[in-house]
Amino acid sequence: MIRRLAAITGIQGFVPETILSNTELEKMVDTTDDWITTRTGIKERRILKEPGKAASDMGKIMVEKLLQKTNTHPDDIELVIFATVTGDMVFPDTANIVCDKVGIKNAFAFDVRAACSGFLFALTTGAKFIESGTHKKVIVIGCDMMSSIIDYTDRATCIIFGDGGGAVLLEPREDGSGIIDSVFHGDGSGAKYLHMKAGGSLRPPSLETIANKEHFVYQEGKAVFKSAINGMVDTVKKLLERNQLTLNDIKWLVPHQANIRIIHGVADALDFELSKVMINIEKYGNTTSGTIPLCLWEWESKLKKGDNIVLTAFGGGFTWGSTYLKWAY
Ligand code: UT7
């Protein structure tokens, strides 16, 4: 019997129009285009600048286009999962706001907050509802508005992050295509290296937290760097072994786009050809939950039914892992 899998049957990305280039950042903080390019691989990133716009507005645009593209009626969507650490508000979940903005009325919806691993965790969560047979049409969004939590006077973080992401439609398939397996991990002891100090129940917003700039991303980059390479490499290896695959069986590796040196480090450690690694960090920087769907969206026309694809991510938490899927169209 062929197992019922959840397959990605459509993908739609979105990035805001405003470009923040390295040259512009040179005017804002003590940095250079050369430093940013050589240390991160980023040349520019997109910023959602329009006043009053937030993560749900990016989600709305991508979901509307996704529904149109896949010829799906909003009434047929049963579940929406939004992976983000920059939801519109602390609550309600942004997935609910997106449903309201798009006119999705028959779905339940919630957010997943697993930082840069958010899209992978949400994708597998959504897939389980389809595999179990209870749901037939699920939308998973990975999108962040990192500009809302970045201190543009801090050169160590403001050069890295950008806004944007993508949304996928998941539907059941019984032809072998779909999300096959995932290896995921978490380690809360990594929280000290990458977090936002205030705004939660530990340190609610106050004049003091604002004065101390505690509502911005705090990152100890070097500590994250090494763990990121090790975590992604380890889970890709486990995933391949568990599914009896060799690297030659993999058509595309889609790594979280945090730093070009991390991406190269992962490819080197796996001995995986760079020409088969999706890389667009130079244009968008690190969009947190958004990087992997943004890659898949940009590569969509090159993907073929049956392609074996491995997605891999590492981020705040620490959270990390890899997902193996067979492209469905
Ligand atoms: O996506 C979630 C997970 N996050 C990651 O995976 C990020 C992982 N970390 C990184 O990508 C890198 O650690 C960074 C890009 C954040 C930083 O690169 P690095 O090579 O680790 O630099 P560093 O922090 O060790 O800093 C090296 C030097 C320092 O100067 P000194 O102390 O050697 O004099 C920094 O002050 O570079 C300096 N520096 C900069 N110089 C120019 C830091 N940021 C900048 C900057 N421009 N923007």
Side-chain angles (χ1 to χ4, degrees):
M1 202 183 82
I2 295 183
R3 185 178 147 207
R4 181 197 299 116
L5 293 175
I8 295 175
T9 55
I11 181 151
Q12 178 65 49
F14 174 79
V15 286
E17 273 176 24
T18 303
I19 294 174
L20 178 59
S21 68
N22 290 352
T23 321
E24 281 163 277
L25 281 166
E26 281 178 349
K27 295 176 205 147
M28 295 159 64
V29 288
D30 181 16
T31 192
T32 61
D33 172 38
D34 185 54
W35 192 95
I36 304 171
T37 308
T38 52
R39 303 309 291 167
T40 71
I42 303 165
K43 294 299 282 184
E44 58 188 43
R45 63 292 290 144
R46 300 299 182 101
I47 304 294
L48 186 60
K49 271 247 153 136
E50 294 157 80
K53 296 288 180 195
S56 69
D57 297 292
M58 293 194 277
K60 172 186 186 281
I61 295 169
M62 56 184 87
V63 170
E64 278 177 349
K65 286 187 174 170
L66 178 69
L67 292 175
Q68 208 173 27
K69 197 171 161 179
T70 56
N71 211 8
T72 306
H73 195 278
D75 287 351
D76 294 332
I77 301 299
E78 299 156 303
L79 165 62
V80 175
I81 309 178
F82 198 138
T84 188
V85 290
T86 50
D88 291 20
M89 305 176 206
V90 171
F91 76 93
D93 282 7
T94 303
N96 289 285
I97 301 171
V98 170
C99 287
D100 182 51
K101 286 186 173 173
V102 174
I104 294 175
K105 294 189 166 49
N106 298 323
F108 76 108
F110 61 90
D111 291 359
V112 163
R113 295 206 308 168
C116 302
S117 312
F119 181 73
L120 293 197
F121 288 13
L123 188 68
T124 289
T125 306
K128 296 298 172 194
F129 283 88
I130 292 200
E131 279 172 36
S132 71
T134 56
H135 293 69
K136 289 199 167 53
K137 288 188 195 293
V138 173
I139 287 178
V140 177
I141 306 164
C143 177
D144 268 292
M145 184 176 167
M146 294 307 290
S147 62
S148 65
I149 55 168
I150 291 298
D151 174 3
Y152 285 96
T153 64
D154 173 16
R155 69 178 183 174
T157 51
C158 75
I159 53 129
I160 300 169
F161 294 98
D163 303 341
V168 298
L169 178 64
L170 294 178
E171 292 180 283
R173 287 287 179 270
E174 295 188 359
D175 59 1
S177 61
I179 291 143
I180 295 170
D181 196 12
S182 294
V183 174
F184 291 150
H185 289 287
D187 177 5
S189 71
K192 56 182 171 291
Y193 302 116
L194 182 52
H195 59 262
M196 189 199 283
K197 293 193 187 305
S201 54
L202 180 65
R203 284 183 67 71
S206 67
L207 289 177
E208 189 193 351
T209 63
I210 292 169
N212 291 343
K213 296 188 167 189
E214 292 179 23
H215 296 274
F216 295 123
V217 170
Y218 170 86
Q219 177 170 256
E220 291 178 31
K222 270 210 187 324
V224 184
F225 193 100
K226 214 171 151 198
S227 304
I229 296 180
N230 292 342
M232 287 193 271
V233 169
D234 177 58
T235 52
V236 170
K237 281 185 175 165
K238 279 191 186 133
L239 197 58
L240 295 181
E241 197 184 310
R242 199 152 94 174
N243 291 278
Q244 286 141 27
L245 294 164
T246 67
L247 285 169
N248 288 335
D249 299 319
I250 304 305
K251 190 71 194 284
W252 296 103
L253 179 68
V254 192
H256 169 53
Q257 313 279 302
N259 186 317
I260 193 72
R261 292 182 293 132
I262 294 178
I263 297 172
H264 287 168
V266 170
D268 280 355
L270 290 169
D271 202 16
F272 196 76
E273 253 177 75
L274 264 186
S275 61
K276 298 197 295 180
V277 181
M278 294 188 194
I279 301 174
N280 60 11
I281 191 172
E282 69 285 357
K283 289 191 289 185
Y284 307 130
N286 181 350
T287 53
T288 302
S289 303
T291 65
I292 289 176
L294 262 181
C295 279
L296 288 172
W297 175 56
E298 287 213 329
W299 264 259
E300 187 187 19
S301 63
K302 293 193 184 124
L303 303 178
K304 295 191 180 60
K305 187 174 166 68
D307 279 355
N308 285 326
I309 302 178
V310 170
L311 319 174
T312 187
F314 185 95
F318 291 146
T319 56
W320 71 99
S322 300
T323 292
Y324 161 46
L325 61 91
K326 228 180 233 304
W327 199 248
Y329 60 98

